[in-house]
Amino acid sequence: MSSSIPDPPLAEASSAKRGASWFSWSLHLLLGLTLGFFLGCIVWNSLRRNRLADEGQFLHIVCGVSLLAGAFTSYWGDRAWFAPTVFAPDPPPQSRASHAWSIIIGAAGLGTLGLALYRHHQALPWSDRFHPRAQADVALISLLAMHLGLLVHVLKTGGFMGRVWRDDFPAAYWFLVAVLSLMAAIQLVHLLR
């Protein structure tokens, strides 16, 4: 009796392995593009204030940052937002084609952003190309990116370089999260003022 009825979970699993879940990929891309738009506005404002961009580059910078964020979220899927756990369902399948499209979108965003900054830099007079505040803010942006990357890594994996784990040493773990958050917040406030 059971041999005449096919097992539905196996049929769904075999159809899922054939290709990517383009619907899931598109939703992650759309969410990344939306969040990237807001992040791009913040980046453009900081670049404009530090004379690294002007009003003519607004669309290019915002689109470039938005495409980069969309590429990141569509490439990593659920792992861009959540750490993998035992209780989480299997992530939607990805294929080489979906990964390739994410990389192409990210390259387009990086190219758009780089071209906008290059054109602005070439249009400046020679004396304004290396403004002292802009050089200091480039270092601050790099530190901010490093601290935010470490914070995301610590929150996703529950540890830092195999030493501080969320379950073994919770006080040290949350202290590290608080320090990284505080450092990133101070740098972000300094960049936005």
Side-chain angles (χ1 to χ4, degrees), residues 150 153-154 157-166 173 176 180:
L150 281 174
H153 173 72
V154 166
T157 62
F160 177 66
M161 299 176 77
R163 297 197 183 268
V164 179
W165 291 98
R166 182 177 22 225
Y173 171 78
L176 179 64
L180 288 173

Side-chain angles (χ1 to χ4, degrees), residues 25 34 50 60 89 95 103 106 112 120 125 135 141 173 187 190:
W25 182 86
T34 304
N50 295 318
H60 295 98
S95 67
I103 291 171
T112 303
H120 174 73
Q135 291 175 355
I141 289 171
Y173 171 78
Q187 291 162 353
H190 180 71

Side-chain angles (χ1 to χ4, degrees), residues 33-103:
L33 290 172
T34 304
L35 293 176
F37 173 79
F38 294 111
L39 181 63
C41 290
I42 292 170
V43 168
W44 174 77
N45 190 27
S46 178
L47 291 174
R48 183 183 54 83
R49 192 180 53 254
N50 295 318
R51 298 183 189 173
L52 294 174
D54 59 9
E55 285 78 15
Q57 279 85 29
F58 173 76
L59 184 63
H60 295 98
I61 290 172
V62 169
C63 285
V65 172
S66 182
L67 286 172
L68 281 172
F72 177 79
T73 57
S74 65
Y75 185 86
W76 289 104
D78 290 341
R79 291 178 293 162
W81 314 105
F82 307 109
T85 65
V86 181
F87 305 108
D90 289 336
Q94 295 276 342
S95 67
R96 285 185 170 198
S98 64
H99 283 301
W101 276 109
S102 296
I103 291 171

Side-chain angles (χ1 to χ4, degrees), residues 103-158:
I103 291 171
I104 290 169
I105 291 170
L110 191 62
T112 303
L113 187 62
L115 185 63
L117 294 175
Y118 175 75
R119 284 187 177 175
H120 174 73
H121 185 71
Q122 292 300 318
L124 288 176
W126 185 255
S127 62
D128 290 343
R129 286 191 184 180
F130 301 104
H131 190 265
R133 179 174 162 91
Q135 291 175 355
D137 282 344
V138 167
L140 196 59
I141 289 171
S142 301
L143 281 174
L144 177 63
M146 182 186 72
H147 286 124
L148 287 176
L150 281 174
L151 181 63
V152 167
H153 173 72
V154 166
L155 288 173
K156 280 179 66 173
T157 62

